[in-house]
Amino acid sequence: PEGKAAATPEEDLDLTLEVLGFGVSEKTLGLRDSLLESDGEELGKPEEFPTLRPQALLRFVAPTLALWIAPPVMSLVDTSVVGRFCGAMDLAALSPGCTLIDSSSYLFMFIATAATNMIASARADGDETACERIVSEALFLALISGLFLATLVFLFGQPMMMVIAGKQSASVVPSALKYSLIRAFGQPFVVMASVARASALAKKDTLGPLLSVAMAFLLNAVGTIALVKNTNLGIMGAAIGTLVADIAATAFLLARIRTSRQKENVGNNDDKCIKPLIVIPTLDNFQKFVQYATPIFFTILGKSVVYNGVALSVGRLGEVALAAHQVLLKSFFFWTPVGDSVGMTSQVFLPGILAEEKRTGVAQGGAKRLLFTLGVVAGLVAATLAGLLPSKGSGLFTTDIHVAAILKLTSPILALGVSMHAIALTCEGMLLAQRDLGFLSSTYVITTIATAVLLLSPFRPATLGGSW
């Protein structure tokens, strides 16, 4: 009624409990207080994050880690199956083949990263319409980017493969090229799936992405083992298994987005109100996206150049070193999701916290300290486990004693790299959330140039351990 003061949250909850048949007692007062102390997401307001509670952090990090770790597991399955049933030659061919496909699609993950932060920021402002628009436009950009990557492989796959493998490992190029040509058909699906998963995480929806990666993992594992072990397809069987898994996962994610929009439109008989899954961005929206995404692109480009530079350096060392490098690289990417998950959590939660800081003028430094501490601890745990896999479990990947010996020598370097990656990605997520893109991109530009100069100079490493 006019002239009456608005009810407090406590009064609203007391009234609700009375309507539900609960009398006012110590129990109902305790229930009221516990509800008021819950996270914003539990109260139906996911955009409000005045503090970052450890419980809320762990509830998000755990499924996000499972989500990030699934694709490397898929690659690790390919590596293990090919290494055991096809021999060292095909295992060596898998290295340049995976490098060409995975590094090129990884390069375009800047679309998903940019979309994640833009969606989280829009939600912090309460603009759900902008969230849907950003997702649809990002899916269009992902589709075009994936088609571009596939075309590159179809037209220039062989010369690029020769550069990656090097003259000393030219014998693996034919097999690696067959693998890459099959995987190239999945590039549009891979990039689109990354955007779909990122948009779900930005809305703190971990169930859909988890279901998609579980589906992809099962299809890839069963398909790869069946095709490689029971047919004469060899390395091509691994590529087909991964391709089918990528297509199925992407179709599931897109269907989930469509269903979600239909549910939100319940009560409105006009289907035209449901935003299409894929929308061509306007020039203004495209310019805004590019302005934000460009520094992220150079950040990911820097990482990709380093990874490919190491592969080029190893390719000159022969087939044994190349086979060992494939196992090390897939082991590294198996554990990098530890840092990725904490970085993603920073991108999702910090925009709301920073908005609250701006509104109240009260700094929330505890949230950043909590995230950084989590990144450091998680990185140390992951590094310890990462060092054990290739050194103690080399039999899972190869029966070649020479490859196994090299893996044992280089496992400590792998562990150190995993630890540093976790800390770097945690800080990277904070910088993205704060939109401090200039510092982030310039840091990666400097380190990338320094690494590239070293790998191309006369002082380049002469061993696998030196390259790593």
Side-chain angles (χ1 to χ4, degrees):
E2 282 189 36
K4 185 176 179 180
T8 64
E10 290 84 355
E11 291 170 342
D12 283 338
L13 280 171
D14 286 342
L15 178 60
T16 302
L17 292 170
E18 286 185 33
V19 171
L20 292 174
F22 295 99
V24 177
S25 65
E26 290 185 6
K27 290 184 177 180
T28 56
L29 290 174
L31 174 60
R32 181 198 71 184
D33 293 339
S34 66
L35 287 171
L36 289 171
E37 292 173 0
S38 298
D39 297 324
E41 184 175 1
E42 295 178 80
L43 293 175
K45 298 179 181 178
E47 66 276 6
E48 295 180 5
F49 295 101
T51 59
L52 184 58
R53 299 171 184 268
Q55 298 91 334
L57 182 64
L58 292 175
R59 281 200 303 270
F60 187 83
V61 168
T64 304
L65 176 58
L67 174 64
W68 276 97
I69 209 169
V73 168
M74 291 170 62
S75 293
L76 209 58
V77 168
D78 286 354
T79 301
S80 178
V81 173
V82 170
R84 289 193 61 83
F85 296 108
C86 299
M89 178 66 77
D90 276 349
L91 181 60
L94 202 60
S95 179
C98 286
T99 296
L100 177 60
I101 295 298
D102 294 339
S103 63
S104 59
S105 60
Y106 174 76
L107 183 61
F108 280 82
M109 292 299 148
F110 77 93
I111 299 176
T113 304
T116 299
N117 203 268
M118 294 176 72
I119 294 168
S121 297
R123 294 193 76 232
D125 295 335
D127 192 347
E128 292 296 331
T129 301
C131 290
E132 289 191 359
R133 174 185 58 77
I134 293 168
V135 172
S136 296
E137 293 177 350
L139 284 172
F140 171 79
L141 296 175
L143 175 61
I144 297 301
S145 300
L147 291 173
F148 169 73
L149 292 176
T151 303
L152 278 182
V153 176
F154 294 145
L155 295 179
F156 309 106
Q158 185 165 359
M160 288 191 294
M161 197 66 68
M162 287 296 298
V163 172
I164 295 173
K167 292 181 180 180
Q168 287 81 357
S169 303
S171 59
V172 306
V173 169
S175 295
L177 184 59
K178 291 177 183 178
Y179 178 87
S180 299
L181 290 173
I182 295 173
R183 288 284 309 275
F185 285 102
Q187 292 291 66
F189 299 97
V190 171
V191 185
M192 291 179 70
S194 70
V195 171
R197 292 187 181 110
S199 65
L201 289 175
K203 296 180 179 180
K204 288 168 288 300
D205 171 22
T206 55
L207 178 60
L210 277 175
L211 291 175
S212 74
V213 296
M215 176 194 304
F217 173 74
L218 289 174
L219 287 173
N220 183 60
V222 174
T224 298
I225 294 173
L227 291 172
V228 173
K229 185 178 180 181
N230 301 321
T231 71
N232 295 323
L233 290 172
I235 195 173
M236 292 188 294
I240 294 172
T242 304
L243 173 63
V244 172
D246 288 335
I247 293 174
T250 305
F252 172 81
L253 287 165
L254 295 180
R256 187 175 175 85
I257 293 175
R258 180 68 177 176
T259 302
S260 175
R261 292 182 179 181
Q262 289 174 340
K263 288 181 179 179
E264 292 173 359
N265 199 51
V266 171
N268 191 337
N269 296 324
D270 188 4
D271 290 339
K272 294 181 179 179
C273 293
I274 302 176
K275 199 169 192 66
L277 278 176
I278 298 176
V279 174
I280 301 175
T282 63
L283 180 60
D284 184 52
N285 289 338
F286 179 71
Q287 289 175 339
K288 290 179 181 178
F289 190 90
V290 169
Q291 183 179 8
Y292 181 74
T294 298
I296 301 175
F297 169 76
F298 283 108
T299 297
I300 296 179
L301 176 63
K303 299 177 188 178
S304 183
V305 168
V306 171
Y307 295 147
N308 288 329
V310 173
L312 288 171
S313 177
V314 174
R316 298 183 175 93
L317 303 178
E319 294 172 6
V320 173
L322 199 59
H325 171 70
Q326 170 65 12
V327 176
L328 288 172
L329 190 64
K330 294 311 170 184
S331 299
F332 175 77
F333 283 127
F334 178 84
W335 293 107
T336 53
V338 172
D340 292 328
S341 61
V342 182
M344 174 66 75
T345 303
S346 299
Q347 293 179 59
V348 171
F349 282 82
L350 279 184
I353 295 174
L354 295 174
E356 184 72 11
E357 281 187 355
K358 186 176 181 180
R359 186 181 68 83
T360 63
V362 179
Q364 298 286 344
K368 298 173 187 176
R369 285 194 296 272
L370 177 60
L371 286 165
F372 182 76
T373 302
L374 179 63
V376 172
V377 174
L380 291 174
V381 173
T384 302
L385 297 174
L388 293 175
L389 186 60
S391 61
K392 303 297 182 182
S394 58
L396 294 172
F397 305 101
T398 183
T399 56
D400 190 297
I401 58 173
H402 301 292
V403 175
I406 294 178
L407 289 175
K408 291 180 180 179
L409 288 175
T410 51
S411 58
I413 303 173
L414 169 66
L416 179 61
V418 169
S419 176
M420 293 298 101
H421 180 275
I423 297 173
L425 265 290
T426 300
C427 296
E428 181 180 311
M430 295 181 188
L431 290 171
L432 286 171
Q434 295 170 170
R435 302 210 171 189
D436 191 355
L437 304 179
F439 175 81
L440 180 64
S441 58
S442 62
T443 300
Y444 274 101
V445 167
I446 293 171
T447 54
T448 299
I449 293 175
T451 304
V453 169
L454 174 62
L455 293 175
L456 295 175
S457 72
F459 304 101
R460 63 176 177 264
T463 63
L464 178 63
S467 297
W468 267 78

